[in-house]
Amino acid sequence: VLLAYVDSEERYRFNNRAYEQWFKLRPAELYGQHLRDVLGESAYAAVKPHVALALSGETTRFETEISYRATDAQYISAYYVPDRDPEGAVQGFFALVQDVTANKRAQQALEQAQHRLSLALRAGRSGTFEWDIAANRTAWSEELLELHGFRKGEFRGSREAWMTCIHPEDVERVLDAFERALGDGELAVDYRIRRHDTGDIRWLHCRGAVSHDERRRPLRMVGINVDITEQKRAEEALREVDRRKDEFLAMLAHELRNPLAPIRYVAHILAHDDTDQQSVRRNVPILLRQVSHLVRLVDDLLDAARIRRGMIEVKKEYLHAESALQRAMETMQATIGEKHQTLRFTPAARPLPVRGDAVRLEQVFVNLLSNAAKYSPVGGVIHVSAQLRESEEAVISVRDEGAGIDPQMLPQVFDLFLQADQSLDRSQGGLGIGLTIVKRIVELHGGRVEARSDGLGHGSEFTVILPLVEPEQRLMERERGYHTVTRRILVVEDNQDSAQMLCALLEGDGHTVAAARDGGEALTKLEAFSPEFVLMDIGLPGMDGYALAGLMRQRTSGKSLRMYALTGYGYPEDRAMALRSGFDGHLTKPVDPERLLRLLSDALPERSNASSQRAPH
């Protein structure tokens, strides 16, 4: 899905990476550009009426045939959501766009195939029938008998006997179709049958032609039946995919707006000069909590995209599974406490050493605990246990006593974008992608995850099973803080608010900081300020961060300087590009402040060899 934000002047103010890849434009080339200049005249004319609706305050969803200047797309599905300021005035709109060209082409191909099939059925002999209307005798071919599950001689050969094979809910509709055919001369109807031998439900497409005498009285009907069960299932699956896509797009807009509202309110409160320290202490935690929620939504979306591309990564080391679980429980403690829920933990009898990614495993357990808290009532109990199985497996279980899972939903519970709760009351949020991420991460660790529930209202249990490592490979987790070391740091960031707050964070930790807004200013301050560290955005005006990093390396040859890319682009190819350009590491926005300060404190003052020692991403 392509995501962009367009202001009231029809200029781009935000877009996701998919948008840039689609139009083959860099961020600086998209930002501030008018829709017409990016889309081209033809495509702009197609979407202009819908843009006008969005800017007038109306949410609009549409599909249209289109000709983009820079892409091969011929059909798109788009969802425009107006964005209002606190006074209610429309200041722009969010655009979510999907290329549905392949779907349209498949639909057109299917329609052509169905037309060819209908012509072939008229001339074919497979699964044929003949009905002598006056004598009420029906003859079926051997293939049609087999289709209905009859052995030769079992079918009684009358129209009434035929009707007993039809699904009760379809009988009246089929009878009406036959009555019309007696007058019109043509029969075409889809209906369900129940096989005589197995009772299985199948879909048939029936086509027939009626012959009449000279007085237009119907004499005989001949026709053919074709099993279209798989086609019907495919159509239902496509409808389900389309429904879930629409629900997800609406849900995404809702979930992104939810944390933005309190962030805006807190920012408004803190902007007043008379705001006292007590008000700051009371409101800043709200700001931090909602920003964390927004970051998690974005991270989940990125992880879901990586899963679909097969690019999700794990960096394995030897650790204890319970250490990741403990950190996840600490992370979720505030959320669980807000609902007055109780977390009961049963530890394993001995350590559970595994080879895994500590951050990813913590993400798995946070997702499971978050789901347990979300679907458990106020005051409920969440049971967490860790144990060792005889098969040398670490087994970690999260069980709640809450809403439970419908048995029909249980087999699909790990599907992408699946949402059991489709009600308007979505105070707990979520995009329906957490369990998909859980399953994929656990599989990348060589493990598996299982879901169990006794049904709605009976709670649910998710169990993560990971292989243990050999005893001699076991490694104890080390938890430590960091010791502040004063650094001279140059921040290169064109976003004034972001630069100001990052400098305040670094100065608050005791560092000496200078800021630059573009490449020219950064090179000037490189000489005058002599920084030890550079934190640099990639999307800078004029000269991008990659080119600037190369110039800085040339000008500081032989000097101690560590440079980190600080950017919103977090794909593996972005990190590889940063390292090739001369950066020592790659940090994806928004970086955790504690992690950044720890990195600045722990990093060696001299630049490490690019191929042997890099800072963590």
Side-chain angles (χ1 to χ4, degrees), residues 73-380:
Q74 293 180 344
Y75 298 90
I76 62 165
S77 173
Y79 190 80
Y80 289 173
V81 183
D83 177 37
R84 300 177 183 273
D85 63 18
E87 286 73 36
V90 176
Q91 56 187 1
F93 65 94
F94 294 94
L96 295 98
V97 182
Q98 187 174 26
D99 182 1
V100 295
T101 303
N103 291 350
K104 284 289 186 180
R105 288 173 177 167
Q107 182 180 347
Q108 291 167 355
L110 179 62
E111 290 172 354
Q112 293 171 0
Q114 287 175 329
H115 178 65
R116 289 194 298 269
L117 178 61
S118 67
L119 295 177
L121 290 176
R122 285 182 177 273
R125 297 289 300 170
S126 179
T128 58
F129 68 88
E130 183 174 346
W131 175 32
D132 184 335
I133 299 172
N136 192 22
R137 289 196 303 268
T138 302
W140 285 4
S141 68
E142 292 183 6
E143 293 81 5
L144 188 55
L145 288 169
E146 195 283 327
L147 194 65
H148 284 77
F150 285 105
R151 289 195 296 264
K152 195 171 183 178
E154 287 185 327
F155 179 61
R156 296 195 304 271
S158 64
R159 192 180 76 155
E160 290 73 22
W162 186 353
M163 290 299 165
T164 61
C165 302
I166 299 173
H167 193 287
E169 295 178 3
D170 294 346
V171 169
E172 185 176 351
R173 181 167 55 83
V174 173
L175 286 174
D176 289 343
F178 268 77
E179 289 300 323
R180 289 194 301 272
L182 294 180
D184 299 340
E186 295 286 339
L187 171 68
V189 63
D190 295 346
Y191 59 90
R192 291 166 292 176
I193 64 167
R194 190 181 300 276
R195 280 182 62 94
H196 178 72
D197 51 356
T198 64
D200 292 345
I201 302 297
R202 307 293 294 179
W203 274 95
L204 297 184
H205 172 68
C206 178
R207 295 192 70 90
V210 179
S211 59
H212 299 80
D213 62 15
E214 64 279 1
R215 300 175 62 181
R216 292 295 301 167
R217 290 178 299 188
L219 298 176
R220 188 178 305 275
M221 176 186 289
V222 294
I224 188 167
N225 283 356
V226 179
D227 188 332
I228 58 169
T229 305
E230 297 308 317
Q231 177 184 324
K232 288 292 185 179
R233 289 173 179 170
E235 291 172 356
E236 179 59 32
L238 285 173
R239 284 192 291 269
E240 176 65 13
V241 168
D242 190 60
R243 181 187 65 80
R244 282 167 59 178
K245 178 201 70 176
D246 291 344
E247 288 173 352
F248 172 73
L249 292 177
M251 186 172 28
L252 174 59
H254 176 273
E255 292 299 323
L256 289 175
R257 286 177 176 275
N258 269 351
L260 289 175
I263 289 173
R264 173 173 281 176
Y265 301 151
V266 171
H268 180 78
I269 293 171
L270 297 181
H272 286 74
D273 295 335
D274 58 351
T275 303
D276 56 27
Q277 287 299 314
Q278 183 177 359
S279 177
V280 172
R281 285 193 296 271
R282 185 173 60 252
N283 288 291
V284 165
I286 297 174
L287 189 64
L288 293 174
R289 187 163 58 249
Q290 295 302 324
V291 168
S292 296
H293 178 54
L294 194 57
V295 168
R296 184 177 174 191
L297 286 174
V298 174
D299 285 344
D300 280 354
L301 280 171
L302 291 174
D303 278 341
R306 293 185 186 111
I307 285 173
R308 293 179 70 88
R309 297 172 63 188
M311 298 179 65
I312 195 166
E313 293 182 341
V314 293
K315 300 178 178 66
K316 294 182 181 179
E317 59 182 351
Y318 296 107
L319 53 90
H320 285 162
E322 278 193 45
S323 64
L325 177 60
Q326 288 282 3
R327 287 194 297 274
M329 290 191 291
E330 292 169 5
T331 299
M332 289 300 302
Q333 193 60 57
T335 300
I336 292 171
E338 285 177 359
K339 295 184 69 174
H340 306 288
Q341 294 167 340
T342 302
L343 185 61
R344 292 182 181 171
F345 176 49
T346 305
R350 67 176 179 84
L352 303 175
V354 299
R355 188 169 182 270
D357 186 320
V359 175
R360 288 296 189 182
L361 287 179
E362 181 181 347
Q363 181 184 4
V364 165
F365 299 134
V366 165
N367 267 319
L368 295 181
L369 288 168
S370 175
N371 271 2
K374 182 191 306 183
Y375 295 111
S376 292
V378 173

Side-chain angles (χ1 to χ4, degrees), residues 416-535:
L416 193 61
F417 304 141
L418 181 71
Q419 274 283 346
D421 178 15
Q422 299 295 344
S423 63
L424 292 177
D425 178 18
R426 293 183 45 79
S427 59
Q428 297 299 324
L431 296 175
I433 59 185
L435 289 178
T436 305
I437 295 171
V438 165
K439 182 175 183 289
R440 183 59 182 145
I441 291 175
V442 172
E443 288 174 345
L444 288 173
H445 284 79
R448 61 191 186 279
V449 60
E450 300 171 352
R452 189 185 68 81
S453 177
D454 292 332
L456 295 177
H458 296 283
S460 58
E461 180 177 15
F462 289 87
T463 303
V464 174
I465 302 155
L466 299 169
L468 296 182
V469 297
E470 295 300 320
E472 60 268 19
Q473 295 175 316
R474 293 171 184 164
L475 183 69
M476 295 297 294
E477 277 291 312
R478 292 180 298 173
E479 299 291 343
R480 63 182 182 87
Y482 67 90
H483 303 285
T484 302
V485 178
T486 301
R487 307 287 194 189
R488 295 177 65 79
I489 304 170
L490 175 61
V491 173
V492 187
E493 170 65 77
D494 62 324
N495 186 300
Q496 185 175 352
D497 291 342
S498 181
Q500 180 179 344
M501 298 313 298
L502 179 56
C503 290
L505 171 69
L506 297 173
E507 289 170 347
D509 202 49
H511 301 291
T512 303
V513 185
R517 291 171 295 181
D518 54 36
E521 188 177 357
L523 292 173
T524 300
K525 292 193 175 180
L526 180 68
E527 301 294 333
F529 182 64
S530 298
E532 300 171 78
F533 280 79
V534 176
L535 299 176

